[in-house]
Amino acid sequence: VRLDAGLFGPLDVALSEAPAAQTSAGLIQARTRVLTGRSVLGFLTAAPMADRPLNDSLSVPSQAQDLDALLAEAESRRQDLEAAARRVDAAGLDVQSAYGQYFPSVSLNLQYFLQRGTDPTNLHWATLIQASLPLFSAGIIEADVRTALSRLRQAKLDYSRVRREVRRDIEVAMENLRASFERTERFRVQVRSAGDALEQADDPAIAVGDRWQVEEHRDDG
């Protein structure tokens, strides 16, 4: 209408079509991301997600939370951090087991005692209980202890690395959330301005008034 009224030229119309085409391309890209996200979600959940409706039940906080509180929550919910902590516990038990080889051990040989064909004798009673003293195994035990300690240090390093990764993820997510809050405010301004422009563009009285003003200026000229 404004082109017919002479308010806009062909170049202005072309410039107006450019953001419309850009918005359409963004819509196509968003739909592609939706399909890709559903495919990834189906892979992670081992369930067909192509035709299932998604429920947006994510509650976004009104403001960024405290970093220490988020770290405490991550320690109780992040499975990778929990697995790293369990590996440290298992490595600690291996160290205790390796140190335990230095002490004497006592065992019961019930198989030999139950498979005897005669009445139990002193020899049978002696073979029932066996004691072991590590007199000549100090080198092997020390090597086992050092190996267990090395695995414990490696497990602790892995746990520290996972904690740093969790902290990095939380800090990045907090920064992205803060930036999203700021972009949301800008988007609200854009939506309000676009709504006002759309309302004015759809008002026939405004378009007729613009055309009348153009024709009046032409008559005066």
Side-chain angles (χ1 to χ4, degrees), residues 86-97 148 151-152 155:
R86 291 294 177 265
R87 287 195 294 268
V88 173
D89 296 339
L93 294 177
D94 290 339
V95 172
Q96 295 180 5
S97 177
R151 292 175 179 173
L152 178 59

Side-chain angles (χ1 to χ4, degrees), residues 119-149:
D119 294 334
T121 61
N122 294 332
L123 180 61
H124 292 148
W125 290 109
T127 56
L128 177 63
I129 301 176
Q130 298 179 354
S132 176
L133 298 175
L135 297 179
F136 305 101
S137 303
I140 298 177
I141 296 176
E142 183 178 1
D144 293 341
V145 170
R146 289 181 178 273
T147 302
L149 288 174

Side-chain angles (χ1 to χ4, degrees), residues 63-129:
Q63 58 184 359
Q65 300 181 5
D66 184 60
L67 179 61
D68 296 334
L70 293 176
L71 287 174
E73 184 178 358
E75 290 180 356
S76 61
R77 300 181 62 179
R78 286 285 294 258
Q79 296 182 359
D80 52 351
L81 190 59
E82 182 71 17
R86 291 294 177 265
R87 287 195 294 268
V88 173
D89 296 339
L93 294 177
D94 290 339
V95 172
Q96 295 180 5
S97 177
Y99 273 115
Q101 298 180 24
Y102 283 111
F103 302 98
S105 61
V106 179
S107 61
L108 296 176
N109 189 4
L110 296 177
Q111 183 177 1
Y112 178 79
F113 181 78
L114 294 177
Q115 289 181 352
R116 57 182 172 76
T118 59
D119 294 334
T121 61
N122 294 332
L123 180 61
H124 292 148
W125 290 109
T127 56
L128 177 63
I129 301 176

